[in-house]
């Protein structure tokens, strides 16, 4: 039995495409590379408020181009969170997301929420992505519009039995790493309400 040299018997690894096809492939790659780079830069400028957002950012949001360049920023100096509560005929300050998830009427101590920093909000939001989206609606961010928040609350009014809904935003200043306390002072609060 004779051992075959597989390296000698294999086909050449060079591409079998003609010169014209190589040039066309190169043009397509360049076009798409420049197109997506341009779109990403325009989307970045629109997210930062430097230019009007093209297509309202829908394509960029769908393709997850909007990364907000967070890997190039310093550590956060503030933390924001929001809580949506509602009023039923006989109960106030009901956690709306808990009611949507489980149908439970869970009453939230709003005095505690407004005076004490809730360091873990995972029990409040349906998902981490939803928590991040809501944190971008806080009144302390540039370009905040209360109409966007009211529109969201009005849409919740249509699918829930609440008579009134309110979104309470809370922000805290984060201390520098190595500080004795994580947050400085009491949280700032802002409330947006709608009647259903």
């Amino acid at each position: 039995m004779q051992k075959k040299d597989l390296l000698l018997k294999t086909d050449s690894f060079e591409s079998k495409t003609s010169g014209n096809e190589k040039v066309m492939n190169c043009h397509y790659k360049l076009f798409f590379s420049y197109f997506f780079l341009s779109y990403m830069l325009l989307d970045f400028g629109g997210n930062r408020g430097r230019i009007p957002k093209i297509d309202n950012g829908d394509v960029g949001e769908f393709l997850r181009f909007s990364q907000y360049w967070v890997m190039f920023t310093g550590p956060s100096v503030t933390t924001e969170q929001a809580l949506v509560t509602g009023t039923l005929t006989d109960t106030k300050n009901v956690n709306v997301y808990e009611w949507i998830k489980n149908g439970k009427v869970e009453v939230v101590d709003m005095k505690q929420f407004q005076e004490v920093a809730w360091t873990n909000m995972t029990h409040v939001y349906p998902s981490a992505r939803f928590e991040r989206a809501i944190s971008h609606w806080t009144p302390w961010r540039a370009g905040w519009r209360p109409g966007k928040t009211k529109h969201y609350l009005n849409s919740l009014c249509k699918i829930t039995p609440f008579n009134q809904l309110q979104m309470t935003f809370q922000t805290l200043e984060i201390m520098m790493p190595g500080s004795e306390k994580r947050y400085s002072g009491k949280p700032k609060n802002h409330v947006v309400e709608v009647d259903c």
Side-chain angles (χ1 to χ4, degrees):
M1 196 161 180
Q2 195 175 0
K3 185 177 175 184
K4 292 183 180 177
D5 190 351
L6 294 176
L7 288 176
L8 295 176
K9 299 289 182 188
T10 56
D11 291 335
S12 169
F13 289 112
E14 292 179 16
S15 174
K16 303 237 188 257
T17 57
S18 69
N20 287 340
E21 288 178 28
K22 285 183 183 180
V23 170
M24 288 299 289
N25 286 340
C26 183
H27 287 309
Y28 284 130
K29 288 178 186 176
L30 278 174
F31 171 77
F32 284 116
S33 297
Y34 284 125
F35 172 78
F36 285 121
L37 175 66
S38 302
Y39 186 89
M40 188 175 70
L41 292 172
L42 287 171
D43 191 52
F44 172 73
N47 286 335
R48 293 292 180 230
R50 309 262 192 268
I51 58 172
K53 274 188 117 171
I54 54 175
D55 72 13
N56 256 353
D58 294 338
V59 174
E61 294 294 324
F62 177 74
L63 296 175
R64 301 296 294 150
F65 277 154
S66 302
Q67 298 299 317
Y68 298 99
W69 299 80
V70 291
M71 69 175 123
F72 300 114
T73 61
S76 299
V77 293
T78 60
T79 181
E80 297 94 8
Q81 54 201 20
L83 179 66
V84 179
T85 55
T87 302
L88 295 168
T89 50
D90 56 347
T91 315
K92 286 185 169 187
N93 301 327
V94 176
N95 184 341
V96 173
Y97 296 138
E98 192 64 33
W99 183 88
I100 290 173
K101 283 193 296 187
N102 304 321
K104 289 184 191 173
V105 176
E106 177 186 281
V107 177
V108 178
D109 184 355
M110 290 307 291
K111 187 171 188 221
Q112 182 203 24
F113 177 74
Q114 292 182 353
E115 292 179 2
V116 178
W118 287 21
T119 55
N120 185 355
M121 293 288 285
T122 54
H123 67 286
V124 174
Y125 295 108
S127 72
R129 185 170 285 200
F130 193 77
E131 178 178 1
R132 183 179 170 114
I134 293 291
S135 74
H136 288 290
W137 292 5
T138 56
W140 299 279
R141 291 198 180 248
W144 179 74
R145 297 183 314 252
K148 189 176 186 180
T149 306
K150 287 183 178 181
H151 177 74
Y152 172 69
L153 292 175
N154 282 324
S155 66
L156 281 179
C157 280
K158 294 175 185 173
I159 61 168
T160 59
F162 296 100
N163 302 326
Q164 184 186 53
L165 291 174
Q166 68 179 21
M167 185 176 276
T168 305
F169 295 99
Q170 183 186 80
T171 187
L172 284 156
E173 193 176 322
I174 299 174
M175 301 296 285
M176 294 297 291
S179 300
E180 193 175 309
K181 294 182 179 178
R182 173 134 172 85
Y183 306 111
S184 70
K186 282 191 170 184
K188 289 187 216 168
N189 296 291
H190 184 84
V191 179
V192 178
E193 290 183 351
V194 295
D195 292 321
C196 298

